[in-house]
Amino acid sequence: MPEGDAVLRTARRLDKGLAGQVLTRTDFRVPQLATADLSGGTVRGTLTHGKHLLTRIDHRTGEWTLHTHLKMEGSWRVLEAGRRWPKPGFQARVVLRTEKTEAVGFLLGIVELVPRDQEEQLVAHLGPDILADDWDPDAAVERLARQPERPLFDALRDQTNLAGIGTIYAAETCFIAGINPLRTVADAGDRLPRILQRTRDLMQADWSLSRQMWVYGRRACRRCGGTVTVARVGPPGKERPAYYCASCQA
């Protein structure tokens, strides 16, 4: 699943192609929105909260927010109007077209259209957004500390604690901090603020694009060359792979 930095890059691409533009065509290819039509509306912009995308559209019928989530397979593509789509049409879930641009959401995991005044309810269950300008690290640490015996890897990925961190950053920042991801939140202790700040720094730098991972997805640790261990962590049925080096993260 794309992490918060990838979702933020998606929002910026949508803004570049759509913000301030009038929609000449909309097509919502999900049953609950089959009759919705926002053509003639103006796209005000796309915001993010963690892994959630919130596209604001002002229309004669009201002020609306299109809520989308990429989940595991979703993506947004922003193309020149009339250009051939890079994926099959049956995978499209949303089409937003202007005179010059067409944004197509493929295989989106969530597609919802709500009145703007209900927008906050879409993300009310989430913790602070680690990439937000008003990021509140103290609130995130307080939420993490509510479950001191929880594995740190699992707690960092819990979007109700803080929004935006996924499997990659949970593993890599634990490595950089020198802590085993299977250790508990309590074990991290006063290192939590530094771990979160390092994660934020890496995500703001689009670090995952380099693919120079220390342990994630690797067989050998990039620092010491030792074998990377992979543990399955999380509630039954929702486990995720936690990569770590038993030597560097003893």
Side-chain angles (χ1 to χ4, degrees), residues 198-210:
R198 176 58 63 89
T199 306
R200 177 175 162 87
D201 291 344
L202 291 174
M203 295 177 78
Q204 287 182 323
D206 292 340
W207 170 81
S208 67
L209 292 177
S210 71

Side-chain angles (χ1 to χ4, degrees), residues 113-135:
L113 191 62
V114 302
R116 185 82 43 79
D117 59 9
Q118 296 179 23
E119 180 182 282
E120 183 62 30
Q121 299 176 26
L122 298 171
V123 295
H125 64 291
L126 301 174
D129 183 347
I130 194 168
L131 289 175
D133 292 338
D134 60 352
W135 157 242

Side-chain angles (χ1 to χ4, degrees), residues 96 103 105 126 148 165 197:
L96 303 176
L126 301 174
I165 298 178
Q197 184 59 51

Side-chain angles (χ1 to χ4, degrees), residues 3 26 35 41 81 96 107 142 144 161 163 171 183 191 242 248:
E3 309 209 10
T26 64
T35 62
L96 303 176
L107 297 176
E142 189 275 330
L144 288 166
N161 286 331
R183 299 291 292 272
R191 284 183 285 179
C248 295

Side-chain angles (χ1 to χ4, degrees), residues 160-178:
T160 65
N161 286 331
L162 65 159
I165 298 178
T167 304
I168 296 175
Y169 283 109
E172 291 291 294
T173 52
C174 283
F175 177 87
I176 292 170

Side-chain angles (χ1 to χ4, degrees), residues 207-226:
W207 170 81
S208 67
L209 292 177
S210 71
R211 298 303 176 189
Q212 295 298 309
M213 306 298 179
W214 292 101
V215 288
Y216 181 82
R218 296 179 61 92
R219 294 183 178 180
C221 172
R222 192 158 67 90
R223 175 183 289 163
C224 73

